[in-house]
Amino acid sequence: MTEHRGLDLVALQKFLSDSNVPLNGELRADLISGGKSNLTYAIHDDSSRWVLRRPPTAGLTPSAHDVAREFRITSALQGTDVPVAATVALCEDDSVMGASFTVVEHVTGQVIRTKSDLDALSDADIDSCTDELVRVLGALHNVDYDAVGLGELGRPDGYVARQVKLWASQWARVKTSDSADVDRLHAALAESIPQQSESSIVHGDYRIDNTILAPGDVSTVAAVVDWELSTLGDPLTDVALMCVYRHPALDLVLGEPAAWTSPRLPSADDLAQRYTVASGRELVHWNFYLALANFKLAVIAEGINHRYRAGATVGDGFDKAGDAVPEFIAAGLRALKGQTV
């Protein structure tokens, strides 16, 4: 068995066998690239394929790497209109492999991550794919979270106010310099928090590369992935973040030319309109939500910049994240202009 960081295949084989998962032969594994948070491995024996996720081996921040939470969410979503991988096993005993881990069935499909991945798609393909992505997000927000057993996932009441406070406090922790514009945006958000009209499951990081599209058919989402930020909250925060991710500065945050920032995709305004049509949900106080999403992304970018300057990042693509901060802050301030609350 090949050795992999954070993965003990002998221990995994015993755990799966003890969990009554049918196995056929020795387990093998390959690291799946692309994630900058949890470690994700493709696991297979002679007849089956699975995906294993576990937190990083260092620098743990439990709230951002809670794979058990992710597993419970996707387990609850089985049988709903939200496509997710079939769940197989959850291990919360750290003695098995040093941390909690989850195993789900491998979903065959394609992940559109970079602009070059879009080259094989026609404009019609991209249009139908976008419609499907928006439909699935609307379907998620329409899931009755109490009925599927996720009523204790979070505290939806006051979610937006807590988000404003959370990202302001996070800025205070990671800022590499003071910014009057950041202070101005935060103050404006704090003064204009709307009354939350409804609550839903929110994904927290929804865009094209956090889905697996069906093989040979980008008009079908085979599975939505990366649920570790999911909670109960305001569905419009999910929609606004999806739209703000269309900003070209996301490339600086991700360290690569992201597919979701491509000019070939519909504009943020177009995405918002498609969501309204697909979900039947009006985007009330929309400028506030756009401003909050920009604020959040600015703080995330500054966090990456903070770690990069401290020498705490591994690999390439982190050196330009700080350049995205003023871009998102300016976009947030523009969004709030003329807002009525």
Side-chain angles (χ1 to χ4, degrees):
M1 292 186 177
T2 305
E3 289 188 8
H4 294 278
R5 179 169 53 97
L7 183 64
D8 183 336
L9 286 174
V10 173
L12 176 62
Q13 184 125 12
K14 182 178 187 307
F15 170 77
L16 291 178
S17 178
D18 291 346
S19 301
N20 297 316
V21 176
L23 300 176
N24 180 19
E26 187 178 86
L27 293 181
R28 283 89 78 191
D30 297 294
L31 179 66
I32 298 176
S33 62
K36 289 187 171 65
S37 54
N38 289 314
L39 295 174
T40 306
Y41 290 97
I43 309 292
H44 61 98
D45 62 7
D46 293 340
S47 56
S48 301
R49 291 175 61 84
W50 305 274
V51 172
L52 179 146
R53 279 166 68 79
R54 58 149 292 159
T57 55
L60 293 182
T61 52
S63 63
H65 306 292
D66 191 346
V67 295
R69 178 187 184 86
E70 185 176 24
F71 186 88
R72 293 188 179 100
I73 293 167
T74 52
S75 294
L77 291 173
Q78 306 289 321
T80 70
D81 289 336
V82 183
V84 290
T87 50
V88 175
L90 164 65
C91 178
E92 295 183 276
D93 181 357
D94 289 357
S95 69
V96 175
M97 214 149 54
S100 296
F101 63 88
T102 63
V103 180
V104 301
E105 287 188 5
H106 178 270
V107 177
T108 301
Q110 51 188 319
V111 177
I112 306 296
R113 193 175 304 282
T114 65
K115 288 182 175 67
S116 61
D117 292 334
L118 293 171
D119 291 346
L121 304 183
S122 67
D123 290 344
D125 285 338
I126 290 175
D127 190 63
S128 61
C129 178
T130 303
D131 275 344
E132 169 72 349
L133 290 168
V134 171
R135 182 198 68 77
V136 168
L137 185 61
L140 172 66
H141 295 159
N142 287 332
V143 169
D144 183 334
Y145 52 78
D146 285 319
V148 299
L150 292 177
E152 302 302 316
L153 181 63
R155 294 179 296 134
D157 292 342
Y159 174 78
V160 174
R162 291 196 305 274
Q163 284 284 294
V164 173
K165 184 177 181 180
L166 167 69
W167 292 105
S169 62
Q170 181 69 4
W171 171 263
R173 281 194 292 270
V174 303
K175 66 179 179 180
T176 56
S177 62
D178 290 327
S179 168
D181 284 344
V182 170
D183 294 341
R184 185 157 51 248
L185 178 55
H186 170 234
L189 287 168
E191 292 169 2
S192 56
I193 295 170
Q195 181 70 35
Q196 185 171 323
S197 60
E198 62 179 313
S199 58
S200 74
I201 304 169
V202 295
H203 180 273
D205 195 19
Y206 192 79
R207 58 179 189 261
I208 192 171
D209 51 307
N210 280 336
T211 68
I212 299 172
L213 304 175
D217 180 14
V218 296
S219 68
T220 300
V221 172
V224 180
V225 298
D226 288 352
W227 291 90
E228 62 260 40
L229 298 179
S230 182
T231 189
L232 301 184
D234 189 323
L236 298 193
T237 60
D238 244 1
V239 187
L241 190 61
M242 174 184 69
C243 291
V244 168
Y245 274 149
R246 290 285 290 116
H247 195 296
L250 180 66
D251 289 359
L252 303 175
V253 179
L254 298 180
E256 63 183 7
W260 199 240
T261 65
S262 170
R264 294 188 63 201
L265 271 68
S267 68
D269 287 345
D270 190 343
L271 285 175
Q273 178 59 32
R274 291 184 191 218
Y275 177 85
T276 294
V277 172
S279 67
R281 186 174 284 109
E282 293 298 322
L283 304 181
V284 294
H285 305 295
W286 184 232
N287 285 344
F288 171 88
Y289 289 96
L290 289 176
L292 176 58
N294 276 290
F295 183 53
K296 175 179 177 178
L297 277 181
V299 177
I300 290 171
E302 183 69 349
I304 295 170
N305 183 44
H306 178 87
R307 294 194 298 275
Y308 170 73
R309 291 179 177 225
T313 54
V314 178
D316 300 324
F318 300 102
D319 55 321
K320 300 294 185 184
D323 295 343
V325 176
E327 296 280 347
F328 287 122
I329 294 299
L333 289 168
R334 286 195 303 271
L336 278 179
K337 284 186 178 179
Q339 181 193 0
T340 57
V341 182

